Amino acid sequence: MWHGAMDDELARAAVQLASPHELRDYAVLADGMRGALMDPDGGTAWLCFPGWSDPAVFAGLLGSGGSYRVAPTGRFVSGGYYEDGTLIWRRRFVTEDNVIECREALAYPGEDDRCVILRRLEALDGDAALVGTLQLARDYGRQRGGHWRSEGDAWLCKTGEFHARWRGKGQTTVGSEASKLDFRLILRR
């Protein structure tokens, strides 16, 4: 069954992603209103919203709540660099049988109360499988996000005045907790 296989993939990925990293291993993305700290394992380790000085919605750096992670299903190593003159982070995941490139950026949406995290994934050496999870937790993990629901080609979540929308191609389900969105992506070369 698909859910069981996905749960196994997520559990294996979580074991690999559980260790903290040295600060120099993180990348910073910013859009002028806020910044995100991206860990080397494919996660957003820190993001305050709506601005720099507001409470975090992703606070994995502190071991607190909230996460947005996309990573290969198997073993991998990763590294990356900034595109010249930008805060666009180009990450590469090297797996046992593939190389996956991910371009990541924060895009200023023109409104202070919105945040857009862009991720573009590409398999360079054949098809690749990735798993991901998105769980919002406002105020450094003290307020879990609301329930995710599907609407057209997007997934929506609302908690209080806070609204979130996720769009991506792939199989997506609400996780074991209704506030957690799990997804599996197959990249075709």
Side-chain angles (χ1 to χ4, degrees):
M1 184 172 168
W2 179 72
H3 290 288
M6 186 167 173
D7 290 343
D8 291 344
E9 288 173 357
L10 288 170
R12 281 193 303 275
V15 168
Q16 180 172 353
L17 304 174
S19 62
H21 302 278
E22 294 181 16
L23 191 55
R24 68 176 177 236
D25 293 334
Y26 292 83
V28 174
L29 307 180
D31 67 5
M33 290 301 300
R34 66 202 56 83
L37 200 57
M38 311 303 285
D39 71 33
D41 296 323
T44 305
W46 188 263
L47 173 68
C48 292
F49 182 80
W52 293 97
S53 61
D54 292 298
V57 294
F58 301 134
L61 187 64
L62 300 177
S64 194
S67 65
Y68 178 31
R69 183 170 309 281
V70 180
T73 56
R75 295 181 340 159
F76 65 88
V77 294
S78 69
Y81 61 94
Y82 290 103
E83 290 184 6
D84 287 340
T86 74
L87 285 178
I88 297 172
W89 182 246
R90 291 186 83 108
R91 175 193 321 265
R92 281 209 170 172
F93 296 107
V94 178
T95 67
E96 293 172 349
D97 55 359
N98 207 329
V99 176
I100 301 158
E101 188 166 88
C102 179
R103 293 182 73 214
E104 299 170 299
L106 282 183
Y108 182 65
E111 297 179 32
D112 295 347
D113 64 344
R114 293 183 186 219
C115 177
V116 177
I117 301 172
L118 300 171
R119 282 189 164 156
R120 181 175 166 241
L121 296 151
E122 182 180 2
L124 302 180
D125 292 333
D127 296 350
L130 295 99
V131 291
T133 186
L134 174 56
Q135 186 170 33
L136 304 171
R138 297 181 65 197
D139 196 19
Y140 307 98
R142 284 178 235 158
Q143 297 176 6
R144 290 284 178 197
H147 300 292
W148 287 95
R149 64 180 166 71
S150 175
E151 187 173 292
D153 66 345
W155 286 82
L156 307 174
C157 179
K158 179 180 177 185
T159 177
E161 294 180 17
F162 187 76
H163 301 259
R165 176 185 3 230
W166 184 84
R167 279 195 177 131
K169 296 187 180 203
Q171 298 173 313
T172 306
T173 61
V174 173
S176 55
E177 303 171 43
S179 65
K180 183 178 175 187
L181 193 66
D182 293 325
F183 50 95
R184 185 172 196 277
L185 306 170
I186 302 295
L187 301 179
R188 306 279 182 210
R189 181 162 190 275

